[in-house]
């Protein structure tokens, strides 16, 4: 751009500013808001004077930017005088010597607080460090919780900056376009600002891929005539019927945006020509009586059905009229096979619904109707955001992921057993629903019932499912659950619960250890702790206390030796110098490791949490099982079950390495699995879990349930001391009404 030839005289500039402001005021006067032009005029005069003499990079007087932002706020988002004033003043505190107090003195607390919020988030989102970036996003969302108008005005600010991005140097263009696509476009989507979201995406795309953008734009233009013909051909029979009904309506073809066409080309790996559903059509009708809105949508649906009998795509009927999306979107979508053999999506909606779609929920304030469903949908989403912010992720990257997840998710609708509607993101699971209902329900969730069938907590839900969440007091949250969760709220709540639980177990371990040490006349100080940490080979103090609290490390007399090494007996001494020597050896201390005496019986023992043997992963034997040992290349005893196929092979090939073993007292717990099968009935799972956790105090590691046609199957992973415990468990499980099988499995 040649700035010389474009240079305006100062009178011309004044006229340009005045007429831009006149246009803003004119739009406002014609809106449904209460008419408060006086304060808007004052805000304009204040901002104009504050930015006096300052220019934007484009050479324009700076005040043109706040006017443009205020115009977007008023005409494209539909907000009122408080927001218009705040938009006019949004850069005053940031860029001039005026303070928030000055604004407050002139325009009152409401405007001052919004301008303050905007000033706080005026920096960019992207930063060199992830943590800074997370902090910036957090700040932005926090202000949103304070007053949603802050973020709406920020959207308008960003939109105007994107519209004028050409005057920025290229490296800044990339950064701003990247941020817009990363955060602002999804946020606009979530807030229901569909038109702004589309424009932000298109503008970002234009600066990030200028060449592709230009090509797509050109192709859209060159196919316009043909598309129009197809559309008119398609629309004619529908128009005829709508006219007969005496409706006042607009029937338009909709072209996808460059960005969404490009995304589809990328996602489906197809050229432009094959993105055939370029055409969607929209019928916007006038509806003088709000109570007739939904009925008229279906009247129009019937008209289309009459024009195109048997041409409906039954799987793609979407009724967002009765149950609007969380961002407030309402419309009836039908997909019809057009005369040229392509599917055409027709969106049916009233003038009011159309307005909400274009301008977001903010448009409701204009109408002052504020239907409860729509209000609570946005409030619900804001609540989720607050939730995430209240339980901050220690890891910045996790935090950003969580936020992104929440912004992008498309939704399904499910029902509670009482028939209440809930919105969840696509692919949400029973566990997601549980956490959405309440943290406590989530952490105690054991399974669910979808349409009255028992399903595991990992079950994905579908649109329209009726879902009951089953809980148990003894259930505890598990780290593995995270992979079953798609909702940001679920993930945040699970992580918080896990942190909380870990803390509780550590505290439990600490008091357990402290009491036990005290009983033995030893003070628990960091010295004592570190000695145990080192001999137990655990990661640190917290890890040690966690394992003690968890029962993975037992506080036994053997632990004493670690804190009082001088008390060790000569027998133990010998054992520790060569733990793999036969326990009944004549002089085990001097025995060679690989000098295998197959006549000896090896005693398998765990001393102070360290075992002198390894459990073969192929058959996972536990104390009480018939086992045999095999000395491996390092001289360690690997324990197999007698009937283990690997052990059979070893017997055949390496007989010389096999030794007999016997279980000595263990201070260790072993993983084992139980399979339960039976006739499904209400409450059976709770009973099973009650027996395991409460009755027998067995540590339950995981639970996997499948239910099919009244039969349920369940895999339990537990930690137990020996085989008798598991035999007892199976015996007791079989007594539960409905259970047919309860057996130990590998
Ligand atoms: Mn600005």
């Amino acid at each position: 751009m040649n700035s010389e030839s474009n240079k305006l005289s100062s009178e011309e500039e004044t006229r340009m500013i005045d007429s831009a402001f006149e246009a803003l005021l004119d739009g406002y006067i014609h809106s449904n808001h209460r008419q408060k032009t006086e304060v808007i005029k004052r805000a304009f005069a204040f901002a104009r004077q504050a930015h006096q003499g300052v220019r934007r990079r484009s050479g324009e007087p700076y005040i043109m930017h706040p006017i443009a932002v205020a115009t977007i706020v008023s005409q494209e988002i539909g907000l009122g005088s408080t927001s218009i004033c705040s938009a006019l003043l949004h850069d005053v505190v940031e860029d001039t010597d005026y303070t928030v107090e000055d604004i407050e003195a002139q325009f009152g607390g409401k405007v001052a607080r919004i301008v303050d919020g905007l000033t706080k988030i005026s920096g960019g989102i992207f930063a060199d460090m992830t943590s800074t970036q997370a902090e910036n996003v957090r700040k932005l969302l926090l202000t949103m919780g304070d007053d949603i108008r802050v973020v709406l005005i920020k959207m308008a600010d960003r939109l105007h900056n994107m519209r004028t991005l050409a005057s920025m140097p290229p490296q800044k263009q990339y950064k701003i376009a990247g941020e817009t696509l990363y955060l602002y476009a999804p946020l606009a989507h979530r807030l229901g600002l569909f038109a702004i979201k589309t424009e932000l995406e298109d503008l970002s795309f234009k600066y990030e891929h200028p060449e592709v953008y230009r090509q797509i734009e050109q192709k859209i233009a060159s196919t316009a005539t043909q598309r129009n013909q197809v559309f008119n051909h398609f629309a004619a029979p529908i128009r005829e019927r709508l006219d007969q009904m005496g409706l006042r309506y607009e029937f338009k073809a909709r072209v996808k945006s460059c960005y969404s066409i490009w995304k589809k080309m990328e996602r489906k790996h197809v050229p432009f020509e094959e993105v055939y559903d370029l055409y969607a059509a929209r019928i916007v009708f006038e509806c003088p009586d709000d109570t007739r809105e939904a009925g008229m949508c279906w009247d129009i649906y019937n008209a289309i059905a009459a024009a195109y009998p048997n041409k409906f795509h039954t799987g793609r009927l979407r009724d967002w009229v009765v149950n609007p999306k969380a961002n407030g979107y309402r419309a009836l979508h039908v997909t019809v096979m057009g005369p040229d053999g392509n599917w055409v999506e027709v969106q049916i909606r009233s003038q009011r619904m159309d307005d909400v779609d274009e301008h977001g929920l903010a448009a409701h304030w204009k109408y002052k109707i504020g239907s409860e469903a729509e209000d609570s949908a946005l409030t619900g989403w804001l609540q989720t955001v607050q939730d995430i912010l209240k339980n901050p992720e220690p890891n910045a990257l996790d935090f950003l992921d969580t936020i992104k997840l929440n912004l992008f998710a498309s939704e399904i609708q499910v029902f509670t057993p009482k028939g209440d509607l809930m919105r969840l993101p696509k692919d949400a699971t029973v566990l997601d629903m549980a956490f959405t209902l309440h943290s406590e329900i989530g952490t105690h969730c054991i399974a669910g019932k979808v349409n009255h069938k028992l399903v595991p907590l990992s079950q994905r839900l579908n649109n329209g499912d009726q879902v009951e969440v089953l809980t148990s007091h003894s259930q505890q949250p598990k780290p593995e659950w995270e992979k079953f969760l798609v909702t940001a709220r679920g993930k945040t709540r699970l992580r918080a619960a896990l942190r909380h639980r870990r803390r509780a177990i550590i505290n439990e371990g600490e008091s357990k250890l402290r009491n036990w040490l005290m009983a033995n006349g030893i003070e628990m100080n960091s010295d004592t702790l570190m000695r145990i940490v080192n001999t137990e080979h655990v990661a640190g103090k917290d890890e040690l206390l966690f394992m003690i609290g968890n029962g993975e490390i037992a506080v036994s007399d053997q632990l004493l030796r670690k804190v009082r090494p001088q008390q060790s007996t000569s027998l133990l001494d010998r054992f520790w110098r060569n733990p793999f020597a036969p326990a009944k050896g004549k002089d085990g201390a001097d025995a060679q490791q690989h000098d295998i005496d197959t006549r000896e019986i090896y005693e398998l023992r765990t001393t102070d949490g360290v075992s002198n043997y390894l459990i073969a992963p192929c058959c996972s034997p536990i104390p009480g099982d018939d086992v045999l040992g095999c000395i491996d290349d390092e001289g360690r005893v690997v324990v197999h079950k007698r009937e283990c196929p690997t052990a059979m092979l070893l017997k055949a090939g390496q007989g010389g390495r096999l030794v007999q073993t016997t279980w000595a007292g263990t201070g260790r717990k072993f993983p084992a699995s139980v399979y339960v099968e039976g006739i499904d009935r209400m409450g059976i799972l709770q009973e099973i879990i009650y027996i395991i956790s409460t009755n027998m105090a067995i540590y339950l590691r995981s639970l996997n349930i499948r239910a099919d046609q009244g039969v349920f199957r369940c895999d339990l992973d537990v930690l137990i001391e020996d085989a008798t415990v598991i035999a007892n468990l199976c015996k007791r499980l079989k007594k539960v009404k409905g259970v047919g099988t309860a057996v130990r499995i590998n």
Side-chain angles (χ1 to χ4, degrees):
M1 196 200 299
N2 186 341
S3 59
E4 284 304 305
S5 65
N6 285 340
K7 198 153 189 179
L8 303 172
S9 70
S10 66
E11 295 90 76
E12 282 171 321
E13 267 187 9
T14 306
R15 263 203 303 282
M16 173 178 80
I17 295 169
D18 286 340
S19 77
F21 180 67
E22 283 306 316
L24 164 66
L25 213 52
D26 199 51
Y28 173 71
I29 288 165
H30 287 95
S31 75
N32 288 5
H33 287 279
R34 277 179 291 162
Q35 306 301 318
K36 290 190 187 164
T37 48
E38 184 272 332
V39 68
I40 296 175
K41 281 181 188 160
R42 272 203 295 128
F44 168 62
F46 190 96
R48 184 181 205 173
Q49 175 267 118
H51 294 298
Q52 186 68 48
V54 183
R55 287 175 188 280
R56 300 194 89 207
R57 279 192 70 94
S58 60
E60 265 185 350
Y62 195 88
I63 188 67
M64 292 302 284
H65 167 65
I67 296 175
V69 174
T71 308
I72 294 170
V73 160
S74 169
Q75 285 160 32
E76 297 182 45
I77 305 183
L79 299 175
S81 62
T82 304
S83 305
I84 293 173
C85 289
S86 306
L88 284 167
L89 298 165
H90 83 272
D91 278 333
V92 166
V93 176
E94 172 79 7
D95 295 341
T96 77
D97 292 335
Y98 289 103
T99 62
V100 177
E101 287 71 34
D102 296 331
I103 305 269
E104 180 159 10
Q106 294 278 326
F107 302 98
K110 250 192 274 172
V111 172
R113 264 195 303 281
I114 296 175
V115 173
D116 189 35
L118 285 160
T119 308
K120 282 189 186 131
I121 55 171
S122 59
I125 296 298
F126 281 9
D128 295 339
M129 309 245 297
T130 317
S131 54
T132 318
Q133 195 165 316
E135 195 41 50
N136 292 341
V137 172
R138 207 192 307 265
K139 248 193 287 179
L140 180 81
L141 297 176
L142 268 175
T143 57
M144 183 163 73
D146 291 344
D147 190 331
I148 189 83
R149 286 175 292 192
V150 175
V151 171
L152 294 172
I153 297 167
K154 182 72 190 169
M155 283 292 163
D157 184 29
R158 173 55 58 135
L159 180 58
H160 186 243
N161 287 334
M162 285 301 294
R163 284 175 182 170
T164 53
L165 199 57
S167 56
M168 284 291 186
Q171 74 278 15
K172 276 218 157 170
Q173 287 179 355
Y174 278 126
K175 183 171 179 272
I176 295 173
E179 273 181 7
T180 302
L181 211 50
Y182 178 84
L183 184 70
Y184 290 98
L187 198 51
H189 171 73
R190 252 311 112 148
L191 295 169
L193 304 166
F194 184 76
I196 290 179
K197 171 218 166 204
T198 308
E199 191 177 346
L200 286 177
E201 280 176 349
D202 256 20
L203 287 167
S204 305
F205 175 48
K206 182 174 164 184
Y207 286 98
E208 287 194 335
H209 303 276
E211 187 52 29
V212 191
Y213 180 86
R214 204 187 49 76
Q215 284 171 8
I216 294 179
E217 201 180 26
Q218 201 191 332
K219 281 184 174 161
I220 292 175
S222 69
T223 53
T225 323
Q226 181 223 342
R227 250 194 345 265
N228 270 335
Q229 275 170 3
V230 172
F231 173 70
N232 287 333
H233 190 46
F234 168 75
I238 300 173
R239 280 209 169 104
E240 198 181 307
R241 283 173 172 80
L242 295 182
D243 291 339
Q244 277 168 17
M245 289 159 68
L247 286 182
R248 289 159 66 94
Y249 65 94
E250 223 185 352
F251 196 176
K252 284 183 299 195
R254 301 260 312 164
V255 184
K256 277 181 188 290
S257 70
C258 284
Y259 178 72
S260 60
I261 291 173
W262 177 69
K263 280 250 296 220
K264 189 146 201 175
M265 287 163 63
E266 291 282 296
R267 200 173 56 237
K268 298 205 163 166
H269 308 289
V270 293
F272 178 88
E273 289 67 26
E274 284 175 38
V275 185
Y276 58 80
D277 56 351
L278 231 45
Y279 353 121
R282 180 175 298 170
I283 299 172
V284 179
F285 60 90
E286 280 178 30
C287 178
D289 177 5
D290 283 335
T291 58
R292 281 281 300 136
E293 252 184 348
M296 282 174 79
C297 285
W298 288 103
D299 289 347
I300 294 171
Y301 169 91
N302 286 331
I304 301 171
Y308 288 97
N310 305 319
K311 299 274 185 166
F312 274 53
H313 192 306
T314 45
R316 275 163 70 177
L317 175 68
R318 296 281 178 273
D319 179 6
W320 304 112
V321 175
V322 177
N323 299 315
K325 291 191 196 182
N327 62 12
Y329 181 83
R330 294 174 73 207
L332 185 62
H333 289 191
V334 296
T335 300
V336 185
M337 177 65 79
D340 65 338
N342 282 329
W343 291 112
V344 182
E345 183 184 82
V346 186
Q347 305 173 349
I348 306 166
R349 47 166 91 160
S350 70
Q351 189 65 54
R352 186 175 86 104
M353 295 173 184
D354 193 55
D355 230 28
V356 172
D357 179 34
E358 296 290 335
H359 299 146
L361 280 177
H364 282 299
W365 306 340
K366 246 182 2 183
Y367 292 92
K368 297 202 173 74
I369 293 169
S371 116
E372 242 167 55
E374 287 146 354
D375 280 356
S376 66
L378 185 63
T379 316
W381 184 72
L382 282 174
Q383 186 55 50
T384 310
V385 170
Q386 298 272 300
D387 225 51
I388 298 166
L389 294 169
K390 249 188 258 150
N391 297 296
E393 305 279 347
N395 181 332
L397 261 180
D398 282 353
F399 170 76
L400 288 177
D401 277 356
T402 309
I403 289 289
K404 288 286 285 176
L405 195 74
N406 199 267
L407 289 176
F408 271 126
S410 54
E411 332 177 307
I412 56 166
Q413 300 181 330
V414 298
F415 297 93
T416 66
K418 283 185 183 155
D420 292 334
L421 179 84
M422 274 182 73
R423 294 183 190 78
L424 290 169
K426 196 167 156 280
D427 291 333
T429 59
V430 170
L431 195 59
D432 278 305
M433 168 137 168
F435 273 110
T436 305
L437 288 166
H438 199 279
S439 269
E440 285 294 304
I441 300 180
T443 51
H444 292 103
C445 175
I446 45 172
K449 276 197 169 180
V450 171
N451 306 326
H452 307 295
K453 273 190 184 172
L454 195 65
V455 297
L457 46 75
S458 59
Q459 178 74 42
R460 294 203 188 291
L461 302 176
N462 291 312
N463 235 338
D465 279 348
Q466 186 165 39
V467 188
E468 181 185 351
V469 175
L470 304 178
T471 58
S472 160
H473 273 307
S474 50
Q475 177 71 307
Q476 294 291 352
K478 314 225 165 16
E480 311 85 270
W481 283 4
E482 189 157 341
K483 61 176 185 284
F484 304 142
L485 290 168
V486 305
T487 55
R489 172 175 285 190
K491 288 193 180 204
T492 310
R493 288 184 167 176
L494 172 65
R495 286 181 201 150
L498 288 172
R499 278 198 297 277
H500 186 76
R501 179 164 159 72
R502 186 177 160 81
R503 205 8 76 196
I505 292 175
I506 288 174
N507 289 342
E508 205 176 296
E510 186 170 357
S511 64
K512 209 185 209 178
L513 183 63
R514 184 190 301 277
N515 291 341
W516 180 80
L517 284 173
M518 223 153 66
N520 285 283
I522 302 165
E523 190 202 343
M524 185 162 95
N525 50 30
S526 60
D527 205 45
T528 317
L529 276 176
M530 279 327 287
R531 213 173 308 156
I532 308 178
V533 164
N534 287 334
T535 41
E536 286 292 337
H537 308 292
V538 291
K541 191 184 91 167
D542 276 3
E543 192 61 28
L544 173 77
L545 295 175
F546 179 77
M547 288 172 86
I548 290 176
N550 219 5
E552 283 176 70
I553 294 177
V555 280
S556 61
D557 288 345
Q558 284 151 339
L559 206 62
L560 266 186
R561 205 185 47 77
K562 293 187 177 167
V563 240
R564 288 202 291 235
Q566 69 278 10
Q567 294 209 339
S568 63
T569 65
S570 61
L571 185 85
L572 273 169
D573 244 9
R574 200 178 63 186
F575 175 82
W576 278 99
R577 255 186 282 145
N578 189 354
F580 304 115
K584 294 175 186 168
K586 288 155 285 177
D587 189 0
D590 295 322
Q592 286 290 310
Q593 281 192 343
H594 290 79
D595 199 354
I596 301 160
D597 185 351
T598 51
R599 285 165 306 172
E600 289 290 348
I601 297 173
Y602 277 69
E603 208 168 270
L604 305 172
R605 62 195 317 160
T606 302
T607 314
D608 304 323
V610 181
S611 300
N612 67 345
Y613 58 91
L614 298 172
I615 294 286
C618 47
C619 52
S620 320
I622 57 177
D625 287 340
D626 284 336
V627 290
L628 55 81
C630 177
I631 312 287
D632 73 2
D633 288 337
E634 269 106 47
R636 295 173 303 189
V637 181
V638 182
V639 185
H640 290 268
K641 277 189 196 160
R642 290 264 163 95
E643 69 272 22
C644 168
T646 314
M648 305 276 189
L649 271 178
L650 289 170
K651 264 189 241 168
Q654 307 182 319
R657 289 188 170 217
L658 298 182
V659 290
Q660 274 185 280
T661 59
T662 176
W663 296 98
T666 54
R668 175 177 172 180
K669 288 189 174 175
F670 298 80
S673 302
V674 174
Y675 172 72
V676 187
E677 197 184 69
I679 306 298
D680 192 14
R681 68 169 167 83
M682 190 64 188
I684 191 167
L685 204 59
Q686 282 95 321
E687 267 190 60
I688 289 175
I689 287 171
Y690 181 78
I691 287 176
I692 300 166
S693 297
T694 313
N695 229 328
M696 294 188 68
I698 292 172
Y699 184 59
L700 182 58
R701 294 164 77 214
S702 79
L703 178 77
N704 185 356
I705 313 141
R706 308 166 296 282
D708 190 23
Q709 293 168 1
V711 175
F712 90 96
R713 300 175 175 83
C714 171
D715 293 323
L716 303 161
D717 289 334
V718 290
L719 276 184
I720 40 95
E721 291 80 15
D722 60 53
T724 55
V725 177
I726 216 150
N728 270 334
L729 174 64
C730 290
K731 217 191 279 172
R732 293 193 84 163
L733 287 178
K734 272 192 221 159
K735 286 189 186 148
V736 174
K737 195 179 133 225
V739 170
T741 314
V743 287
R744 178 171 159 211
I745 51 167
N746 288 325

